[in-house]
Amino acid sequence: MPSVPGWLPGRYPDRRTRHRRPARRAWRSPSTARPCAAAATTATGRCTCWRSWTHHPRGPGADRCRPHTNEIARFRPLLDRLDLTDTVVTADALHTQREHADWLATHKHAAYILIVKANQPTLHQQLRRLPWREVPVADHTRDRGHGRVELRRLQVTTVAGLDFPHATQAIRITRRVRSLHSHRWRSVRVYAVTSLTAAQASPARLADWIRGHWGIEALHHIRDTTFAEDASQIRTGNTPRAMASLRNLAIGVLRLRGHRNIAAALRRNARDPTRLLPLLGITSP
């Protein structure tokens, strides 16, 4: 019997969850999201990802966090079994650790893009104090959906002497968001470092990889809010993992059927149970 992650791509072999710009070279992009998740995007656009104890709907693996361990401790065991040569690893701020960066570059022969926040205070201050007003905006995107407008501006500059192993470039992303029903903008600035040089990745490609990482975080947000995963009382044996796989299956099927609002799609199908089997490609004889 096929696994949930293996069944979904086979059922929808020609669908892709995200359009990406073509890469100049065959960099892959696994990302690490909470807790200890990873996703790989090949040059053809096919996306697979791993999470510490759950499955992405198009992903082929998992690694469960054991009791009395944290996400940082599971970073290496999760990625150690993967071939990361010529791969770009993205991670949120929790995994922006000097040991992780050095291990990726030295032992796994991979590049990285790591978000920097206050858990790395020296590096964070160094990035904030760079002369960003003199750095031009290298990539600018605008999205409208889910009841809001979002503008993203990416600046990137090569910096010698960054206080982080193998880091060659500093990145600042400015995100401005407003509701469609309001004229008030909310601005957020995010900093990151990468071991990629300017010759290895264009600003547009860097923006794609970072946005792809945030897309993985969005999956977990749907599970936490729409499916109330954090409030679940199921904790025995492999049952939490099985339920997470079923949630991912539901999200994956709805996404591949063109639904952008998962909560609305769930309500629509709940009103008419006869809609469920056709979603899975099962029709009456």
Side-chain angles (χ1 to χ4, degrees):
M1 181 176 179
S3 65
V4 168
W7 177 85
L8 192 58
R11 178 66 64 175
Y12 303 97
D14 296 323
R15 299 295 299 271
R16 295 291 179 263
T17 58
R18 179 179 295 273
H19 172 73
R20 295 181 180 272
R21 298 180 177 99
R24 292 184 178 179
R25 59 175 297 182
W27 284 105
R28 296 173 295 156
S29 171
S31 0
T32 301
R34 61 168 264 268
C36 274
T41 303
T42 65
T44 62
R46 185 179 181 86
C47 178
T48 56
C49 67
W50 298 263
R51 196 187 180 197
S52 63
W53 58 273
T54 61
H55 301 288
H56 185 280
R58 300 185 68 84
D63 178 42
R64 186 171 184 171
C65 283
R66 294 167 177 78
H68 311 298
T69 63
N70 58 29
E71 302 173 27
I72 296 175
R74 298 307 301 162
F75 183 90
R76 290 195 190 184
L78 175 67
L79 299 181
D80 191 45
R81 61 191 179 187
L82 304 178
D83 178 12
L84 298 180
T85 304
D86 289 339
T87 300
V88 180
V89 177
T90 66
D92 56 21
L94 179 65
H95 298 290
T96 304
Q97 306 290 332
R98 304 176 70 88
E99 296 79 7
H100 291 348
D102 187 60
W103 177 76
L104 286 171
T106 304
H107 298 283
K108 301 300 288 184
H109 308 291
Y112 64 75
I113 303 173
L114 302 175
I115 304 299
V116 179
K117 292 185 180 179
N119 62 324
Q120 292 287 339
T122 303
L123 179 61
H124 189 245
Q125 286 297 321
Q126 186 179 11
L127 295 178
R128 288 184 60 189
R129 291 172 180 172
L130 291 175
W132 291 108
R133 291 185 179 182
E134 302 173 12
V135 179
V137 174
D139 187 78
H140 183 194
T141 57
R142 182 182 187 275
D143 284 338
R144 176 172 173 157
H146 303 286
R148 66 180 187 179
V149 177
E150 182 174 356
L151 306 177
R152 290 176 299 277
R153 296 182 176 91
L154 180 140
Q155 298 165 276
V156 58
T157 182
T158 300
V159 181
L162 281 172
D163 187 28
F164 203 73
H166 307 282
T168 60
Q169 293 193 96
I171 301 169
R172 185 173 80 165
I173 304 121
T174 303
R175 300 167 64 189
R176 301 186 66 212
V177 182
R178 71 167 177 86
S179 168
L180 293 177
H181 307 290
S182 171
H183 296 287
R184 183 174 182 179
W185 290 90
R186 177 175 58 89
S187 296
V188 178
R189 286 175 178 168
V190 179
Y191 297 93
V193 291
T194 179
S195 60
L196 292 163
T197 65
Q200 290 175 316
S202 67
R205 194 60 177 164
L206 292 174
D208 272 350
W209 279 323
I210 294 171
R211 186 75 191 280
H213 176 79
W214 287 338
I216 300 170
E217 293 284 6
L219 169 68
H220 302 317
H221 177 75
I222 292 171
R223 286 171 34 172
D224 292 342
T225 56
T226 304
F227 289 92
E229 185 174 72
D230 285 348
S232 173
Q233 298 298 307
I234 299 174
R235 299 188 178 91
T236 305
N238 290 324
T239 310
R241 183 172 180 173
M243 292 302 300
S245 296
L246 292 174
R247 294 183 190 105
N248 284 344
L249 173 63
I251 295 170
V253 168
L254 293 173
R255 289 290 194 206
L256 291 171
R257 286 290 187 174
H259 294 283
R260 299 187 64 183
N261 189 321
I262 300 300
L266 291 174
R267 291 192 296 269
R268 178 180 182 274
N269 290 305
R271 289 192 293 268
D272 185 357
T274 62
R275 296 168 176 161
L276 299 178
L277 292 181
L279 279 175
L280 299 173
I282 302 173
T283 56
S284 57

